Amino acid sequence: MKLVIGLDGQSSGDKALAFAKNLAACTKDCELIVIYVIEWSPFSFQTAEENAQRHKRREEEISIAMERVVNPAVASLTEAGLSARAMVRHGDVADTIDDIAHSEGASQIIVARTSAGGLTSRLFGSSTANLVMNARVPVTVVA
Amino acid sequence: MKKTYSIFLAFAAFVAIALPAHAQDPAQSLDARVNEAFANFTGPFVSFIFAPIPGTDFPWIVMWLVVGATVFTIYFAAVQFRFFGHAIGLVKGDYSDPNDAGEVSHFQALATALSGTVGLGNIAGVAVAVGIGGPGATFWMILAGLLGMASKFTECTLGVKYRNEYPDGTVSGGPMYYISKGFDELGLPGGKILAVLFSVFCILGALGGGNMFQANQAHVQITQITGEYPGWITGVIFAAVAFAVIVGGIKSIAKVTEKVVPFMGIMYVGAALIVLIVNYDMIGWAFGQIFAGAFTGLGVAGGFVGALIQGFKRAAFSNEAGVGSAAIAHSAVKTKEPITEGFVSLLEPLIDTVVICTMTALVIIISQQLIIDETTGNYMLNEAGTAIATVGDTGGVALTSAAFGSAISWFPFVLVIAVVLFAFSTMISWSYYGLKAWTYLFGEGKTTELIFKIIFCVFIVIGAAASLGPVIDFSDAAIFAMAVVNIFCLYFLMKVVRKELNSYSARLKSGEIKKFSH
């Protein structure tokens, strides 16, 4: 069985991680894929200077996310004797997690309930809400 | 703290250079003196660039641009029409590898390049073209836009192909790189010299059309609302904000501009559409004027040749096809196929000239700001006989403002904001183009970059203080001088692009290059 864990870099993500850890411990041969998605749109507007430095920035963003969010999570899972690997991607959070879970043949996506309020999430919904509504793989939302 | 202090010191030095006599002399005379000194200094350069072909009134530079665009259109067998649909697919991201997410997309490269070109050329430049060349100039402008798509395709493909990718992941590209590397690769002599020459003209273009013209017209537009006041005041304010962005690194201002400008562009086109819809019964008449004017001139100075010259000149100034500036902006895209950025870039003259410039022209024609002699049906000239007489004796951006204002009374206020933001975003784009040329000449480094940025800000003040005539002449001349070197080199390098085109289209046909499922 494969489980995809979507982290948001906040404490709520730790709850999702803990839930997945417990679930995996009860399951035989369970592989965990820990994902952090950096919100990014190919249709945003940037200055010429930002474009020229984009590749460098992207590499920096990925290495920071790996170092601070994903790698510690994978380390805690492997310490517990579980098989886990890390992924950092750019894109729309809900779409990207769904795409990876689908292409990896995962049986479940585990994410935290986002605490973000504000106008944006009222208008467009949070990433978790979008994932729940559109995912092609079952989603568990950890409160 | 140390950084803030050094930025402050640099800015103080810049103000001291820009306004040496301000304390002693009244402001008005400062404007006049700047204007006179500037006109005298740039006169010979401007005269050379706009020299007519012997025995005619036709400037050789206009012929140079048209011939270039036509040659590229024929050489690539009308690539701008054959690959138009494919270009849209690329911008939509149909062919983008999902693993490259987070890199510069085709859309972003196009949007960045557009924010450098869509601006005053579309608002003020078109008014100059139609005001001098009559409605017929619009026809030639559209034709130049369509042909220019092929020039843009050629230069932007080369821009990506020969860009420099540094170990830290940053990129630098543009004509100076493809000229020197491309000529070396083909075993042609003189690549380095031509690249240096291009860089010199690019710096002048950045200071002229990319800076002074913008500052000048932004000031004119602001005075429409506030009443007359000395231009250097606008110049100093603009320079201070530009300084904060390009020297101080205050990215938030640039970010706001980059996000607001596209909406301003959409709003501008929307307002133009409203004017056209309200006057829908006159659209047929307006196109009639455009076609009749294109071949007869309808009484404008210089007849139909006058209309043609104005149309081609202002189209080139607006969409910059063949100038080489866009190749700098497009070269940051993430793609394994340089030709794909060429396809995407050909949309630029279409959006800029064929759509937005035509909108402006139609609004000016339909609003009947240009005075027609009812007995002859021709346009009446002003007292000097150099341009068409207009209601309220306006020209440049003021003419566009009056045209919109006659249909939507409050729109001139919105136009002020649009012009200021367009001018500012164009300045930021051109400060980058100029900087790339500058660092190509003098090497990368904080001090060399700071020198250019200070010079750039000084020219904002000069541009706002000088009157339109000398500024527009110098701006045109500097930008067209870039095209002289760029198009000359493109003739030698276009076979490289054709090789890329043939290989890519064969793989596209065979199905080797296919869409990614998203």
Side-chain angles (χ1 to χ4, degrees), chain A residues 40-59 61-62 89-91 99, chain B residues 91-92 99-105 107-109 111-112 168-171 251 254-255 258-259 262 332 432:
Chain A
W40 176 85
S41 165
F43 302 110
S44 60
F45 296 98
Q46 303 193 124
T47 63
E49 200 164 359
E50 282 173 323
N51 281 350
Q53 295 179 344
R54 186 60 215 151
H55 180 69
K56 186 183 168 189
R57 295 270 172 273
R58 179 181 183 262
E59 301 296 303
E61 286 163 8
I62 291 174
R89 290 279 188 277
H90 282 78
D99 283 345
Chain B
V91 174
K92 276 168 59 195
N99 291 323
D100 288 337
E103 300 278 4
V104 179
S105 66
F107 175 88
Q108 285 169 329
T112 304
D168 71 352
T170 55
V171 291
K251 293 222 166 60
K255 272 195 185 302
E258 292 307 312
K259 284 180 176 57
Y432 178 76

Side-chain angles (χ1 to χ4, degrees), chain B residues 113-126 141 145 152 213-214 310-321 323 325 348-349 351-354 356-358 360 426 430 476 479-480:
Chain B
L114 267 174
S115 82
T117 58
V118 173
L120 285 169
N122 305 67
I123 301 173
V126 174
M141 212 161 55
K152 204 73 128 181
F213 177 71
Q214 311 296 328
Q310 283 303 321
F312 276 124
K313 255 173 90 170
R314 303 262 58 91
F317 189 73
S318 173
N319 66 40
E320 297 165 18
V323 169
S325 53
E348 224 188 294
I351 298 168
D352 180 279
T353 308
V354 180
I356 305 181
C357 285
T358 308
T360 306
T426 305
W430 272 93
D476 284 357
I479 283 184
F480 289 144

Side-chain angles (χ1 to χ4, degrees), chain A residues 77-140:
Chain A
L77 293 170
T78 45
E79 270 170 29
L82 298 165
S83 153
R85 62 193 159 100
M87 266 188 202
V88 174
R89 290 279 188 277
H90 282 78
D92 176 82
V93 176
D95 289 350
T96 311
I97 292 179
D98 179 48
D99 283 345
I100 291 171
H102 185 69
S103 64
E104 290 278 349
S107 45
Q108 200 179 136
I109 298 169
I110 298 165
V111 286
R113 181 174 70 89
T114 46
S115 51
L119 187 65
T120 319
S121 60
R122 272 166 202 267
L123 281 176
F124 303 109
S126 68
S127 297
T128 303
N130 288 338
L131 184 65
V132 169
M133 285 196 282
N134 302 310
R136 289 163 288 179
V137 176
V139 182
T140 299

Side-chain angles (χ1 to χ4, degrees), chain B residues 144 172 217 222 247 259 288 325 358 393:
Chain B
S172 281
Q217 288 293 278
I222 294 168
V247 182
K259 284 180 176 57
S325 53
T358 308
D393 200 21

Side-chain angles (χ1 to χ4, degrees), chain B residues 15 60 105 124 136 161 164 172 216 240 326 350 358 411 415 447 466 478 485 489 497 513 518:
Chain B
V15 171
W60 68 274
S105 66
K161 187 172 171 62
N164 269 9
S172 281
N216 185 285
L350 182 86
T358 308
F411 196 75
L415 201 64
T447 316
V485 183
C489 297
V497 180
I513 293 168
H518 286 277

Side-chain angles (χ1 to χ4, degrees), chain B residues 379-468:
Chain B
Y379 288 90
M380 283 169 65
L381 295 182
N382 60 9
E383 275 179 27
T386 50
I388 296 172
T390 55
V391 178
D393 200 21
T394 53
V397 72
L399 174 58
T400 313
S401 182
F404 274 97
S406 69
I408 310 170
S409 61
W410 49 266
F411 196 75
F413 294 97
V414 179
L415 201 64
V416 174
I417 302 167
V419 164
V420 169
L421 283 170
F422 280 147
F424 190 71
S425 82
T426 305
M427 274 180 194
I428 299 298
S429 298
W430 272 93
S431 75
Y432 178 76
Y433 304 157
L435 183 67
K436 285 285 130 186
W438 182 268
T439 53
Y440 181 82
L441 291 179
F442 303 110
E444 317 257 343
K446 285 227 153 56
T447 316
T448 42
E449 288 184 10
L450 183 66
I451 293 169
F452 173 76
K453 287 169 177 175
I454 291 173
I455 295 171
F456 193 84
C457 289
V458 171
F459 270 78
I460 297 176
V461 182
I462 300 174
S467 66
L468 180 62

